[in-house]
Amino acid sequence: MRAKKARTEIRQEQIAQAAMKLLALRGWQCISLAAIAKEVGVVTSAVYRHFKSKDEVLDAVLDLVEQCFRSNVQVAPANDPITRLRDVLMRHVDLIVSGVPVPRIILSEAVFTGHPRHRKRVQKIYQNYLAEIAVIIRAGQEEGLIQHKLNPETLSIMWLGLVQSPAILWLLGQGNFDLKQHCERAWDLFEAAIQSNPASAASRK
């Protein structure tokens, strides 16, 4: 039974990964279960054995995105908080460039006009992500690296804005917009604005 369950979980993840790959290339409304099955290398009925509908597949895709966000924070080296904020930001950029369809999910009709649970789920994923960023910011304030007068929750949203809007430009430009270069430059401005000691930035570079 355990082996069967493991095989089921592997197949479900394969289907979700295939759906995420297709979502990175086109809108969710343009993706069919048949296309997802073809990407996995199985017949369409095999997808139905694991997911009752395309909505459930989207739920699985959102699970993967949430795992990616969580990994961004957990895998980032435990350097000083400001350096860690930069590391997580650049990992977020790498996710997008490597094919995790964060911009398309945000703009997807399935999220905004589909089942309400998708919209609430995306909102929750981002709230949890920003809460983790706020924790890092508070650590920076406790260490005297980030200005105490700045609100951690507000800063976390500004941090996300360093990549979120540019990611849409990157998507619209079909990769012609240099997302990584932009975010590196935007980070320098953000770091200079939040740090308590201007000289500390030079020592980290």
Side-chain angles (χ1 to χ4, degrees), residues 111-125:
V111 170
F112 282 98
T113 61
H115 200 290
R117 77 169 182 275
H118 296 317
R119 183 174 64 255
K120 292 178 181 178
R121 180 72 192 287
V122 171
Q123 181 183 22
K124 188 66 175 177
I125 289 171

Side-chain angles (χ1 to χ4, degrees), residues 9 33 47 65 69 120 124 151 163 170 176 178 199:
E9 291 173 349
L33 288 180
V47 175
V65 171
F69 283 2
K120 292 178 181 178
K124 188 66 175 177
N151 181 275
V163 63
W170 175 83
N176 292 326
D178 194 332

Side-chain angles (χ1 to χ4, degrees), residues 28-93:
W28 186 249
Q29 302 300 325
C30 299
I31 299 172
S32 65
L33 288 180
I36 294 171
K38 183 177 180 181
E39 183 67 30
V40 177
V42 298
V43 295
T44 306
S45 59
V47 175
Y48 277 109
R49 283 199 292 271
H50 298 281
F51 299 98
K52 296 178 181 178
S53 66
K54 201 169 85 164
D55 264 0
E56 286 194 0
V57 176
L58 182 55
D59 287 333
V61 170
L62 295 181
D63 285 342
L64 290 178
V65 171
E66 184 173 29
Q67 290 171 19
C68 289
F69 283 2
R70 190 181 301 118
S71 177
N72 273 357
V73 177
Q74 293 175 344
V75 176
N79 297 317
D80 67 83
I82 290 184
T83 302
R84 193 172 183 212
L85 285 174
R86 183 190 183 281
D87 288 340
V88 179
L89 179 73
M90 299 316 297
R91 287 176 184 279
H92 192 101
V93 171

Side-chain angles (χ1 to χ4, degrees), residues 111-185:
V111 170
F112 282 98
T113 61
H115 200 290
R117 77 169 182 275
H118 296 317
R119 183 174 64 255
K120 292 178 181 178
R121 180 72 192 287
V122 171
Q123 181 183 22
K124 188 66 175 177
I125 289 171
Y126 273 93
Q127 286 174 337
N128 291 339
Y129 193 31
L130 292 174
E132 294 285 351
I133 298 304
V135 168
I136 300 174
I137 291 170
R138 288 192 190 90
Q141 291 175 322
E142 291 171 0
E143 294 182 24
L145 298 173
I146 298 175
Q147 297 176 48
H148 286 277
K149 66 180 180 180
L150 302 177
N151 181 275
E153 285 71 28
T154 300
L155 275 189
S156 69
I157 295 173
M158 293 175 67
W159 173 91
L160 184 62
L162 297 176
V163 63
Q164 203 81 314
S165 296
I168 294 174
L169 292 177
W170 175 83
L171 177 63
L172 293 173
Q174 297 183 328
N176 292 326
F177 180 82
D178 194 332
L179 180 61
K180 189 166 187 175
Q181 183 183 72
H182 170 85
C183 288
E184 287 174 343
R185 291 173 177 173

